[in-house]
Amino acid sequence: MVNRPLIGEASGLLIYFPMRWSMAEEASAYAAEVAASMGLDCFDPQARKLRP
């Protein structure tokens, strides 16, 4: 397994970061919290909606 920095997954205006399914909900909630603290929106493509 190759460790790559998170920013290595950045593309244009989006940052895509894969994760284990078992950690998806926790990681998604954290990503939404960080995005909100920076004045950004967090879109959940599986739910097809913005996270609160």
Side-chain angles (χ1 to χ4, degrees), residues 7-38:
I7 200 67
E9 296 294 328
S11 175
L13 300 176
L14 302 174
I15 296 177
Y16 169 79
F17 52 99
M19 66 189 79
R20 291 189 325 247
W21 181 256
S22 64
M23 297 296 295
E25 186 59 36
E26 181 181 347
S28 180
Y30 180 73
E33 183 180 320
V34 171
S37 75
M38 300 175 78

